[in-house]
Amino acid sequence: MARRAKKYVYYFGDGKADGTGKMKDLLGGKGAGLANMTNLKIPVPAGFTITTDACNVYFADNKTYPSGMWDQVLANLKKVEKSMGAKLGDAKDPLLLSVRSGSKFSMPGMMDTVLNLGLNDTTLKALIRKTGNERFAYDTYRRLITMFGSTVMGIDRQVFEDALDKMKEKKGVHLDTDLSAEDLAELVDEFKKIYRKKTGKNFPKDPLQQLRLSINAVFDSWFGDRAVTYRNLNDISHDLGTACNVQAMVFGNMGENSGTGVGFTRDPSTGQKRFFAEYLINAQGEDVVAGIRTPLHINEMKRKLPEAYRDLDRIYKKLEKHYRDMLDIEFTVQDGKLYMLQTRIGKRTAAASLKIAIQMVKEGLIDKKTAIMRIDPDLLETLMHPMIDPKANVSILAKGLPASPGAAVGKVVFSADDAEEAAAKGEKVILVRPETSPEDIGGMDAAEGILTARGGMTSHAAVVARGMGKPCVAGCTAVNINEKRKSFWVDSTTIREGDVITLNGSTGEVIVGEVPLVAPDMTGDFNTIMKWADEIRDLGIRANADTPTDARMALKFGAEGIGLVRTEHMFFEEDRIQAVREMILADDEEGRRRALKKILPMQRKDFIEIFKVMDGLPVTIRLLDPPLHEFLPKTDEELRELAREMGVSFKKLQARNKALHEFNPMLGHRGCRLAITYPEIYEMQVQAIIEAACQVAKKKVKAVPEIMIPLIADVKELTVMREMTVRVATEIEKRYKVKIPYDVGTMIEIARAALLAHTVAPEADFYSFGTNDLTQTLYGLSRDDAGRFLPYYVEQGIFDDDPFMTIDQEGVGLLMKMAIDSSRKIKPNMKMGICGEQVDPRSVDFCYRVGLTYVSGSPFRLPVARLAAAQATLRRKNPKKYAPESIA
């Protein structure tokens, strides 16, 4: 008996597609949504989905379809023809098709689409006879040649757009809808000539050939530059593949009783519970999404097409109730009848994400745990984005649509390439475009904000900017752009490349010059979500903070203690660097102690202020870590100036600087090695810490210092340092007659210390993993130099991620787990954390799974860590319900 071919094609409604899990993996988000709507008896044009498996086999087999796939396509095409009562290529009643991509995760505009497939000179005549609308038929044909030529054959779309603009200019009209049937027929002939000139071939007449080539183009677009860039930016796997959706066309360009639109079931910018949609009369979907025409508010559809609007209102509410989430939908009205073309979970700003989650809990659609899992932790950082200072006097140049909230200041650039180039130099830029396209994704990511002259609230620029958390002003029609001259003007004001403007994405204002920005007020919905997250999470959250100001900021963002105070940052302060340099230049211990005596009151004061802020909370203080030469100037000119200031000879200073020089300071005389050689340095620091704790204790402030010894490789180093710490602390406690609850621990940042952690544990009250140095020593590379090649490694797929941005779970993570497990056998309740700034969601999830007590990062990253920790807890306790899609 012959083996049955694997199923690669699913007719809409085949099986149960719930938009999640394996069906979403196979059908992609768009295909699963179409299948789902079909099962819900919502009007969806007939069609079928070619699975992501087929795409992956296609690439694995050198761009060859898997066995049986094409036969399945033809069999399902017959089902579509039967359902629609028309046939592909038929000379009497032709069926036209759309071919669209659709991956598991939404990638708006990043992959390819071909509409109106199946037209040729024969079916064109049949379409005219069938509809009695010659203008519509020619408009549809010119759209097919444009999309097929640019998407499938790689012709620059602008060539077709230029020809269209010339025709409009020739006929003295502004919009393409003003062109007559005769004008469009002439344009079709011109487009065919362009196609032949650019490809050396005639436009294909065989609809099945058009279909096969279009499927190829959709599959190929998975590895197109813009799609790869988008996945890299959004941490989406390159192995997923895209599905391909083949669907009967319905036409929004049949006249004044037809149209097309895009909408969100709630406001994607603010989260407000209102239908947020736009549409265009006599248009196809690409016109709305690409921003080719500025669309109308959905209320216009309510007025002009009331019956279709009533259906749309009923359907979007039904879909939102079914999915229990805010949705992004696409629809077309053909001759007064509504059809749904897409539904998927809608992209939204951070603020909207919080508001929608809270609203849906109140409405009983979801519970608090589901609400927490709905929010992308990384997106929370965009809430920290500045806003325009309400007290500032501004000169408003123009006003467009408030497409993505927040404020941005930067120099104007007019191309994505220029934005990327400028950003690479550290410049802040605003990308100004007539409208953005998927090719602009890299420049949009590099820019501080985006301004477009065309497009609406659901245009490519708006949707992508909201997903990125970038301020965007779209559809600013007062802005006239001259890309060749790299300038734009509004009335009599001209803005040239390099001029500074400010965007207010919350109001749509474009402002001349640089306007002062202020930090946002983190209250309301933010506090509610953080409260829910804190109720759920089991992982502690601390902050890296070196000053009282940092400490106050840490508390504001929910820190439960300080996981790292870097004392060397205090040494660099202007009022003490002189004493530090005296200590370094001293010829003997006595000289060093004299200099350290000057530093002692300054260090003590630092710790007093931090202890006051953190009253009752733990404060982990890392003793001096960097090598001494870092405190000395680098150039001879700076050394001469320092010699004059200190009253020492330049030659002595130069000789000392040379003596301190190391070929590889990262692995040199630093950390505990410095204190083994010069114990008086750490003695002074411990004295400052314990004296500060005693002094605040007298004022009823509870100090909880955790004294951390950096860079140990052997337990004996920690033993020596612990004995010194206890000796100094005991002397001070006796003098002040105060008992301080201090701990002595170490950083695990050398591979040997991690491997031998079981020998270190008896001497340590706590561990903090220094993931930066642990990564450097394990990889054998310098973080400061690796920036030259690490991006290339990630781009080439050698490394999945930059190991300094997210913990390398296979290597560094393995060492961490070995250290944790071996130490907990000796001290089951030992405190352990990380302090290397890697508090991205995946790293937080890993830290929770391997049993760390807390994670510590910069104050502004703490909301991300708190939410990620709550999500990690939910995933661990209920892995089936809360699958780790976002951290896979």
Side-chain angles (χ1 to χ4, degrees):
M1 189 174 178
R3 252 176 81 184
R4 190 174 176 184
K6 181 176 178 179
K7 187 167 184 175
Y8 288 109
V9 180
Y10 285 78
Y11 193 73
F12 293 168
D14 275 3
K16 182 170 174 56
D18 60 1
T20 60
K22 288 185 178 179
M23 288 308 292
K24 187 176 178 183
D25 291 349
L26 271 179
L27 304 179
K30 186 171 292 184
L34 288 165
N36 226 344
M37 287 194 291
T38 303
N39 290 332
L40 290 168
K41 309 301 182 188
I42 286 170
V44 173
F48 55 87
T49 301
I50 306 169
T51 66
T52 56
D53 279 355
C55 175
N56 289 327
V57 173
Y58 171 81
F59 284 113
D61 288 352
N62 197 25
K63 297 191 177 182
T64 302
Y65 292 157
S67 175
M69 189 203 93
W70 184 247
D71 290 339
Q72 292 174 33
V73 166
L74 296 178
N76 280 275
L77 177 59
K78 283 187 168 58
K79 287 186 182 180
V80 175
E81 290 174 334
K82 184 178 180 181
S83 174
M84 300 302 293
K87 288 187 177 182
L88 186 68
D90 192 78
K92 292 182 179 178
D93 202 354
L95 172 72
L96 301 190
L97 299 172
S98 66
V99 181
R100 290 184 171 98
S101 61
S103 67
K104 177 180 179 180
F105 297 109
S106 175
M107 295 170 56
M110 296 302 118
M111 290 180 293
D112 287 336
T113 293
V114 180
L115 303 179
N116 309 309
L117 187 149
L119 272 176
N120 54 33
D121 291 349
T122 301
T123 54
L124 173 72
K125 292 173 184 173
L127 191 63
I128 294 171
R129 286 195 299 272
K130 179 181 177 181
T131 63
N133 190 334
E134 188 177 12
R135 189 200 177 282
F136 151 71
Y138 276 108
D139 182 52
T140 303
Y141 201 6
R142 66 95 183 170
R143 289 173 183 271
L144 170 63
I145 299 170
T146 299
M147 294 192 85
F148 191 92
S150 57
T151 298
V152 179
M153 303 305 293
I155 302 170
D156 183 356
R157 185 185 178 104
Q158 194 58 46
V159 180
F160 295 110
E161 296 295 336
D162 289 345
L164 175 62
D165 288 342
K166 283 182 183 177
M167 176 62 74
K168 288 189 287 189
E169 188 177 343
K170 176 182 172 183
K171 297 298 179 179
V173 298
H174 181 62
L175 300 173
D176 51 15
T177 50
D178 295 328
L179 293 172
S180 67
E182 292 76 15
D183 299 334
L184 292 169
E186 187 180 333
L187 201 58
V188 164
D189 289 338
E190 178 62 24
F191 280 13
K192 286 180 182 177
K193 290 175 186 174
I194 291 170
Y195 185 96
R196 188 162 53 247
K197 181 180 177 181
K198 295 293 182 180
T199 66
K201 303 172 185 176
N202 288 324
F203 185 76
K205 296 178 181 178
D206 181 0
L208 286 177
Q209 184 188 5
Q210 293 178 11
L211 177 59
R212 181 184 280 270
L213 290 173
S214 296
I215 292 169
N216 292 353
V218 166
F219 282 168
D220 289 340
S221 69
W222 176 252
F223 283 111
D225 288 345
R226 63 182 189 257
V228 170
T229 299
Y230 185 89
R231 290 198 296 276
N232 287 338
L233 292 172
N234 291 278
D235 203 20
I236 297 171
S237 170
H238 297 298
D239 297 330
L240 297 174
T242 182
C244 179
N245 299 287
V246 179
Q247 188 175 19
M249 281 292 300
V250 286
F251 303 97
N253 60 327
M254 288 188 73
E256 293 301 306
N257 65 343
S258 300
T260 189
V262 175
F264 296 85
T265 57
R266 303 191 187 207
D267 190 319
S269 287
T270 66
Q272 185 181 349
K273 190 178 179 182
R274 67 184 180 98
F275 189 36
F276 184 93
E278 298 172 323
Y279 94 117
L280 280 172
I281 286 287
N282 197 15
Q284 289 196 339
E286 59 169 328
D287 299 338
V288 180
V289 175
I292 292 168
R293 287 162 56 191
T294 299
L296 304 171
H297 192 275
I298 196 66
N299 287 345
E300 287 296 306
M301 179 178 167
K302 185 177 183 179
R303 189 171 61 83
K304 292 185 177 180
L305 300 169
E307 191 174 331
Y309 179 84
R310 280 196 297 274
D311 288 342
L312 179 63
D313 184 71
R314 173 180 54 80
I315 287 169
Y316 95 74
K317 290 173 181 174
K318 180 179 182 177
L319 285 171
E320 185 178 87
K321 188 174 181 180
H322 175 78
Y323 280 95
R324 298 181 303 124
D325 205 346
M326 187 272 274
L327 301 174
D328 169 356
I329 60 173
E330 292 182 17
F331 59 91
T332 284
V333 179
Q334 177 181 296
D335 202 18
K337 180 173 172 54
L338 176 75
Y339 295 90
M340 302 302 294
L341 303 183
Q342 175 170 284
T343 185
R344 61 186 176 190
I345 305 304
K347 290 192 176 294
R348 63 205 77 177
T349 64
S353 186
L354 304 187
K355 186 170 288 294
I356 290 167
I358 293 167
Q359 284 174 347
M360 289 191 168
V361 170
K362 290 177 179 176
E363 293 164 21
L365 287 173
I366 59 175
D367 59 20
K368 289 181 183 179
K369 293 177 181 177
T370 303
I372 289 297
M373 294 304 294
R374 286 271 173 89
I375 300 164
D376 178 358
D378 281 327
L379 206 55
L380 286 183
E381 280 197 275
T382 64
L383 288 175
M384 324 294 179
H385 286 183
M387 303 178 294
I388 288 176
D389 187 342
K391 299 173 186 175
N393 292 318
V394 300
S395 172
I396 298 172
L397 179 64
K399 191 166 183 179
L401 299 171
S404 185
V409 178
K411 295 178 180 178
V412 168
V413 295
F414 291 89
S415 76
D417 288 344
D418 288 345
E420 291 185 70
E421 188 178 324
K425 296 175 185 174
E427 296 179 8
K428 293 185 176 183
V429 297
I430 303 293
L431 178 61
V432 180
R433 303 285 295 138
E435 72 268 342
T436 62
S437 70
E439 283 77 13
D440 293 325
I441 184 72
M444 295 175 75
D445 181 61
E448 300 294 307
I450 298 113
L451 168 64
T452 69
R454 297 194 289 268
M457 297 290 281
T458 55
S459 64
H460 174 268
V463 172
V464 173
R466 284 195 291 268
M468 288 180 168
K470 302 266 183 183
C472 176
V473 175
C476 191
T477 54
V479 168
N480 301 280
I481 299 172
N482 188 323
E483 292 184 74
K484 290 180 181 177
R485 293 187 178 181
K486 294 189 175 182
S487 64
F488 74 84
W489 73 93
V490 177
D491 298 328
S492 60
T493 302
T494 299
I495 304 292
R496 295 178 175 81
E497 183 178 57
D499 290 348
V500 174
I501 63 171
T502 300
L503 298 183
N504 188 339
S506 303
T507 63
E509 292 168 343
V510 181
I511 300 164
V512 177
E514 180 174 351
V515 175
L517 307 180
V518 294
D521 182 21
M522 310 299 295
T523 55
D525 294 339
F526 175 84
N527 286 342
T528 299
I529 291 295
M530 288 296 101
K531 181 174 178 287
W532 292 354
D534 291 341
E535 290 169 358
I536 292 168
R537 66 178 168 84
D538 296 332
L539 185 66
I541 303 294
R542 297 192 189 184
N544 299 345
D546 303 329
T547 67
T549 301
D550 291 345
R552 280 188 284 272
M553 187 64 71
L555 291 179
K556 178 181 176 183
F557 287 115
E560 297 163 328
I562 293 179
L564 178 65
V565 176
R566 290 160 285 216
T567 54
E568 62 270 12
H569 288 191
M570 301 168 175
F571 279 34
F572 282 106
E573 293 293 324
E574 195 173 332
D575 62 347
R576 63 195 73 176
I577 188 68
Q578 190 87 339
V580 174
R581 287 166 172 170
E582 283 181 34
M583 184 266 293
I584 294 169
L585 292 169
D587 295 320
D588 52 25
E589 182 181 335
E590 185 182 347
R592 284 192 296 275
R593 287 192 180 277
R594 272 199 306 270
L596 289 166
K597 197 172 181 181
K598 296 179 183 178
I599 301 169
L600 173 63
M602 302 175 194
Q603 283 259 279
R604 186 171 54 228
K605 183 183 176 185
D606 293 329
F607 298 134
I608 286 171
E609 295 305 315
I610 290 175
F611 289 149
K612 284 180 180 177
V613 175
M614 303 303 292
D615 186 7
L617 296 175
V619 178
T620 306
I621 301 167
R622 183 180 71 187
L623 302 184
L624 189 67
D625 185 40
L628 294 179
H629 74 84
E630 286 197 9
F631 298 98
L632 293 177
K634 304 295 183 289
T635 67
D636 282 353
E637 186 179 337
E638 290 172 321
L639 282 171
R640 280 195 174 89
E641 187 176 338
L642 180 61
R644 283 194 297 271
E645 289 175 3
M646 296 184 66
V648 299
S649 73
F650 165 69
K651 285 189 176 180
K652 179 180 178 180
L653 202 57
Q654 190 180 43
R656 184 63 175 151
N657 201 30
K658 189 175 181 182
L660 290 170
H661 173 75
E662 295 177 295
F663 288 105
N664 193 341
M666 186 193 80
L667 300 177
H669 193 198
R670 53 172 285 222
C672 69
R673 301 161 190 172
L674 199 60
I676 297 287
T677 314
Y678 305 126
E680 56 274 12
I681 296 175
Y682 276 19
E683 286 176 7
M684 179 277 294
Q685 291 196 290
V686 172
Q687 182 182 348
I689 294 167
I690 302 300
E691 285 183 351
C694 290
Q695 288 185 22
V696 298
K698 298 275 190 181
K699 297 178 181 178
K700 308 299 182 186
V701 173
K702 185 179 180 183
V704 188
E706 298 177 345
I707 299 169
M708 185 159 67
I709 313 300
L711 212 74
I712 71 155
D714 192 283
V715 65
K716 290 188 282 295
E717 293 170 307
L718 181 57
T719 300
V720 171
M721 292 294 101
R722 184 183 185 91
E723 287 174 355
M724 177 276 295
T725 302
V726 172
R727 172 176 53 79
V728 172
T730 302
E731 290 171 0
I732 296 166
E733 286 177 323
K734 285 179 181 176
R735 178 157 37 96
Y736 278 88
K737 297 179 182 177
V738 173
K739 193 70 178 170
I740 299 299
Y742 70 91
D743 286 333
V744 181
T746 187
M747 286 186 81
I748 302 293
E749 51 190 333
I750 300 293
R752 190 176 189 276
L755 290 169
L756 298 177
H758 59 286
T759 68
V760 177
E763 292 288 344
D765 297 323
F766 67 89
Y767 288 158
S768 182
F769 288 91
T771 50
N772 287 331
D773 272 351
L774 197 54
T775 300
Q776 291 190 96
T777 55
L778 194 58
Y779 274 83
L781 54 80
S782 163
R783 178 181 56 177
D784 296 329
D785 297 321
R788 299 175 186 175
F789 61 87
L790 270 183
Y792 183 80
Y793 267 52
V794 174
E795 185 181 312
Q796 295 296 311
I798 297 170
F799 292 167
D800 290 336
D801 300 283
D802 182 335
F804 294 106
M805 299 294 288
T806 189
I807 291 173
D808 160 33
Q809 297 182 24
E810 290 182 344
V812 174
L814 179 62
L815 267 185
M816 289 172 63
K817 191 172 189 313
M818 289 169 62
I820 293 164
D821 291 347
S822 66
S823 299
R824 287 260 166 84
K825 287 177 183 176
I826 298 163
K827 289 185 174 178
N829 298 316
M830 188 176 183
K831 284 181 296 188
M832 299 184 193
I834 64 164
C835 58
E837 290 287 358
Q838 288 161 315
V839 290
D840 61 283
R842 279 186 296 167
S843 295
V844 170
D845 184 84
F846 171 76
C847 290
Y848 178 69
R849 283 187 282 115
V850 296
L852 289 188
T853 315
Y854 66 86
V855 296
S856 186
S858 62
F860 281 97
R861 289 286 286 168
L862 297 192
V864 172
R866 290 162 71 189
L867 181 58
Q871 292 178 346
T873 302
L874 290 171
R875 273 190 290 267
R876 181 90 176 259
K877 292 181 177 178
N878 195 340
K880 287 185 179 179
K881 185 174 181 180
Y882 303 115
E885 277 191 350
S886 62
I887 62 156

